[in-house]
Structure formats: structure tokens, C-alpha cells
Amino acid sequence: MRRILRRAAVILMRELFQHCLGYRINWRKLFLIGAFMTISGIVFQMFTLPYPLNEWFLSQPETVLSYHSLNGTMQLGEVLNEARIEPIQLFPSTPVSPLNSSTKLTQSVPTEPKRVEAPPRKKPVSRRRKKNSKQSEKPTPPPPPPLRRFVPPRLQRYIWSLPPKEALLYAKKEIEHAPLVTDDPDLYAPLFRNVSLFKRSYEMMELVLKVYIYHDGRRPIFHTPHLRGIYASEGWFMKLMEENRQFVTRDPEKAHLFYLPYSARQLEMALYVPESHNLKPLSLYLRDYVNYIAGKYPFWNRTHGSDHFLVACHDWGPYTVNEHKELSRNTIKALCNADLSEGTFVAGKDISLPETTIRTPRRPLRYVGGGNRVSLRSTLAFFAGNMHGRVRPALLKHWGDKDKDMKIYGPLPIRVSRKMSYVQHMKSSKYCICPMGYEVNSPRIVEAIYYECVPVIIADNFVLPFSEVLDWSAFSVVLSEKDIPKLKEILMAIPLRRYRTMQINVKMVQKHFLWNPRPISYDLFHMILHSIWFSRLNWIQFHNHSW
């Protein structure tokens, strides 16, 4: 291209010189030749310069500000070969942002001195025009997602080189020395008992945890998730766990936890004889499966099942493990029926699983979210449901059709549902009553959170989901069964400021109770897995290494 333009320029200059020599100058031709040369020069620059001309001349230089570490450094601890280890930062932190601004890399543009001008006089604007201008203003765009956590390759190689036992011990020490978290864009501190401890534990889970899934077991009881209805939590966890690539390993020697992928709902549908009231065939089937796993693989017998876990949301989940002593006593059980009075659920070891209702498996978030603001929530408390168990009849006896502020029903009457649906009642009520039914858990707890209604939980001996990390008093009211006669008095005694704080916290905690088709950080899948991980760490003995 350069050679062609050079030859054209030489030829044009030669022709120009010949025409000018001894002749009158033809200014028209000279102007055309000059214009052609100017256009040729512009085209030449466009093909040779690294940036377009408008960016080259008009844009101002951009400077990317670097960000500094806030979390400090982290000691790697005891290394097997006793080599000298320098402090390594686990995760790079983000810059301090003023107020509630989002975390991002900002761009600074050099400023130029401006002339001081008198402010222009504003023309008077009518109230109607002001109102229209406010409505026409575009909403501010959402903040960008937080920066992805980066783990130094040296630290990754060190963690991967550790045996599973040593890796868990290392993670537990790091959690006990968690750095202080003051302002994290992903976590709302008032929701947690100790947000610093939870964040470091979650980071260690993402860095360390590997889960081995047994491929044995016949379908549909095993490896067939049940994704619809009130027992869908066990199915969604199974589905997302078996599809996961971050935590699942194919090498059982590298695993820290072993997953028994059975479905209590599928077990009931396959083996239970209707109206027989006999659950023993279900527990015998699961006992034979565990014995088969223990005979085929060495992993169960190494720890007597203490590093194995199962997830069961059906009401009968706790009763399906009774025929196998090690499965009942040692295995980590994630159960919706987290009832301490039954003797099967072990506090501190077992996990309380949230009970969620999924209506559309292809779009699990379709009917989730929304609710009126506080000023439009005219009803003090609302409940409607079937009258089973011991708590709901007592609730209806004391408050059914006795107070206009307390809308307490059995099944929602047709005359009422024609005016306002069940969901609309939850969205327009300040408090949603969540009493136990046959068992302690209820999908109403999560439904109330979805519709931004403060849940009032009435169930004795119930271990609340994620209670090892979440502070339920920040976004719910937990009452004992004997408090039912004083229910309105207790709710009316809560100050308005306190209620508004709880209602805001209900909105903020929603993200931790959502089933996403593709899991994201801190959602329900990760919260369940973290509870299992946290339980396993709590049962580790430091000194004698008994597992």
C-alpha cells in the first residue's frame, strides 16, 4: 500500500511540474490534484495507525486505578516437608468504596481547568412538569457484578497436594483465624451470626472441597431427582450436585465427602404400599444399599460413614435410616424434617433442609418474589391451610374469625379466594404465620420469604435451616406453641422500626433460598453444601486425628 501511494505521489508531482513549466497554471486542476492527495493521505493513515482518527485525536487517555489488599496475608500453616512458606494472600480484595457503591475498577480521566461562569438563571417549572420529568427519568442501572475471586496458583497446588484429612485440618485452622469482614458486596452482615466466619468458611469450601458421588443404585430410587412439589429440595440438590464440575471428583481418594444420591420421595413411590402404614420396607432397602456400598468400596469402613451424607426432604426421610445404626448415628443427614424430639436428627451434625415448593421445574424462579411495600400491608397476620397436626387446630380455635387484623383460616374459603388469592394475602400481610403440620417444617417459611412477609414460625423442637450461620431473629419471629393465645399481643408489641428492619432483612435473605437452574454463589444449592461442609469440619478432632 505504501509503495503504491508513493508511486502515485511521484507521478502526480512529475505531471504537476511538467504542466507548470512554461504554461499558465490551471488552478482548477491543481485544486483537484491537491484534494486527491489529501484524501489519499487520510486513507493511508486509517490503514496504518493503530486507532481510528476520531479516537486518536478526540478521546482522552484512560488510566486504570490499581486496587490494594484489604484482607492482609494468610499463613499457610504447617507444611509437611517443613519448608519455609511465605505469607500468601488467599483472595485479592477490592478497594474501599464510599457508602454503598459497588466494587469495581474505576477509570480516571485527567481534568482540565474550567472557567468560572455565573450559574444560569433557572426558569420556573410548574409542579405538573416536575412530576412528569421525575417519572420520565430512567432508573439507575444495577451495579456491575463483583470481581471474581482469584486464588494464587501456588496456593492451589499446595492445597491439592494435601491428603483429604490434612486439607480439612488446614481449612478449619484458617476458618478459626478468619479476617474481619466489614463491608462485603455479596453478603448482608445483619443476616449472619458471624459474617467473617461464614465468608472464610465459604471461601475454604470453594477452594478445598471435593465430593465423590457413588454411581451405584438402581433408578428411580437413585440418581432420579424429583423436581416438582413440596419435596423438590432433595431432587434439586441431587440434580445440581451430579451436574457440578467444581466440587465433584471422580477420584474417591481425593474426596472429602461422599454423597449417597437417593431420593426419599422416589423411595416412597417405588416401595410404599398405600394405606399400609409400614415404613420398614423402605428402611430395609436403604440398609441393604449401604451394606452393598460398604462391601464394594473401602471408604465407608474407614470412617464408619462419618464422611458420607444424604439429602432427604420427605417427611419420612428420618425413618428410612433407622435399620442401619452407622447410617443413623454417623452419617450427615440433610433433612427437611429436622425434629429434635424424634431422636434421629442430631443437632450440630445433621442439617436442616429448607422445604421449597417448585411448581414449574423448567423455571424454578417463575413464581418467586414480589410483595407490597409496608404501607400497603393492611393485614397484621395471615394463615390458611389444612388442619393437620396439633398446632394448626389450636391456632384456628383461638384466632379463626375472631379478629379483623388476624386473618386465620383453614383451607382458604371460596368466598375469600374470589376477592384475594392465597399469594395476594401473603403479599399484603405484615406477618405470615408458619405453624407445623404433621412434621415441624413447612414450605410456608420459604414462601413468606419469597413474598417479603415476615415469617412467624410456630414449631417446638424445630432446628431452623442454616441456623449455624444465619441469625433468624433478624428476619423472623420464632414462637413456642404455648404462645398461640398471646399471638396478636406479641406481634403488636414489636415496634414499627423493628418490623421495618426485619422486612428489609427478609428481602436481603431471599438470595440464599433460591434454586437457580445454574447455581450461583450463596444461593440455596451452595448454602446446603456449605452446611454439610461446615458440619464435617465441626466433627474433626484436632489432636488425635480420630475420624
Side-chain angles (χ1 to χ4, degrees), residues 442-459:
S442 170
R444 284 174 179 79
I445 299 174
V446 178
E447 287 177 351
I449 293 174
Y450 288 166
Y451 301 126
E452 302 172 9
C453 181
V454 176
V456 180
I457 304 167
I458 307 176

Side-chain angles (χ1 to χ4, degrees), residues 471-490:
D471 181 10
W472 278 81
S473 64
F475 54 90
S476 69
V477 179
V478 181
L479 302 178
S480 62
E481 298 172 16
K482 65 180 181 180
D483 293 328
I484 291 177
K486 301 183 294 182
L487 181 58
K488 183 177 180 180
E489 180 183 350
I490 293 173

Side-chain angles (χ1 to χ4, degrees), residues 148-270:
R148 296 184 61 184
R149 289 182 289 272
F150 171 75
V151 181
R154 182 180 177 185
L155 179 59
Q156 284 184 339
R157 289 192 297 268
Y158 170 72
I159 295 296
W160 293 341
S161 67
L162 292 176
K165 295 180 181 180
E166 297 295 332
L168 291 177
L169 290 173
Y170 162 71
K172 186 168 185 177
K173 291 179 181 178
E174 288 299 327
I175 295 170
E176 290 181 346
H177 298 87
L180 182 64
V181 175
T182 55
D183 186 15
D184 189 278
D186 296 329
L187 300 175
Y188 189 59
L191 302 177
F192 296 90
R193 295 180 178 274
N194 188 329
V195 67
S196 303
L197 188 74
F198 170 71
K199 181 173 178 62
R200 178 49 64 103
S201 177
Y202 189 91
E203 291 172 344
M204 287 291 102
M205 179 188 73
E206 288 188 326
L207 179 63
V208 175
L209 179 60
K210 294 298 177 184
V211 178
Y212 179 78
I213 303 175
Y214 287 106
H215 300 285
D216 306 83
R218 293 184 180 181
R219 296 176 180 270
I221 298 175
F222 300 90
H223 308 287
T224 305
H226 186 80
L227 302 177
R228 186 191 299 271
I230 63 174
Y231 303 127
S233 289
E234 64 180 26
W236 274 93
F237 182 86
M238 180 192 299
K239 175 183 182 296
L240 299 178
M241 190 77 249
E242 293 195 332
E243 294 175 355
N244 189 270
R245 296 182 180 181
Q246 178 182 1
F247 299 106
V248 174
T249 178
R250 296 183 179 180
D251 185 0
E253 297 294 340
K254 296 182 180 180
H256 308 94
L257 286 168
F258 295 81
Y259 177 37
L260 304 172
Y262 96 103
S263 168
R265 176 61 172 167
Q266 298 286 13
L267 186 66
E268 177 226 356
M269 295 175 66

Side-chain angles (χ1 to χ4, degrees), residues 286-468:
L286 193 59
R287 180 201 65 182
D288 295 340
Y289 166 75
V290 174
N291 288 336
Y292 172 78
I293 290 295
K296 183 177 180 181
Y297 303 96
F299 314 114
W300 179 278
N301 296 324
R302 289 190 312 195
T303 63
H304 301 285
S306 62
D307 56 357
H308 288 58
F309 71 93
L310 58 87
V311 179
C313 190
H314 197 278
D315 291 348
W316 298 347
Y319 314 125
T320 61
V321 302
N322 289 337
E323 292 296 325
H324 198 289
K325 291 184 179 180
E326 290 183 346
L327 180 65
S328 178
R329 295 177 181 176
N330 301 336
T331 302
I332 301 172
K333 301 180 291 295
L335 303 172
C336 285
N337 189 6
D339 190 349
L340 289 174
S341 64
E342 297 289 341
T344 303
F345 188 91
V346 181
K349 177 180 72 68
D350 294 333
I351 305 304
S352 180
L353 186 67
E355 192 169 330
T356 57
T357 302
I358 302 296
R359 298 179 177 87
T360 309
R362 292 186 178 181
R363 299 173 60 186
L365 303 180
R366 183 175 182 180
Y367 298 103
V368 171
N372 298 335
R373 60 179 183 267
V374 175
S375 60
L376 297 179
R377 293 182 178 267
S378 56
T379 303
L380 177 64
F382 166 73
F383 169 79
N386 294 325
M387 289 292 106
H388 52 251
R390 65 178 184 270
V391 177
R392 297 181 184 184
L395 180 67
L396 186 64
K397 177 183 177 180
H398 284 88
W399 297 106
D401 294 328
K402 293 183 179 180
D403 194 306
K404 63 178 182 179
D405 294 330
M406 306 284 289
K407 294 185 178 181
I408 307 297
Y409 307 98
L412 194 65
I414 297 177
R415 59 179 174 82
V416 177
S417 61
R418 286 175 179 174
K419 298 179 181 179
M420 185 180 295
S421 67
Y422 177 85
V423 172
Q424 289 173 337
H425 273 90
M426 298 191 81
K427 291 184 177 182
S428 60
S429 301
K430 294 181 179 178
Y431 298 95
C432 290
I433 311 301
C434 306
M436 64 175 289
Y438 287 127
E439 306 296 345
V440 291
N441 206 342
S442 170
R444 284 174 179 79
I445 299 174
V446 178
E447 287 177 351
I449 293 174
Y450 288 166
Y451 301 126
E452 302 172 9
C453 181
V454 176
V456 180
I457 304 167
I458 307 176
D460 293 350
N461 303 310
F462 177 38
V463 179
L464 294 168
F466 315 134
S467 56
E468 70 278 0

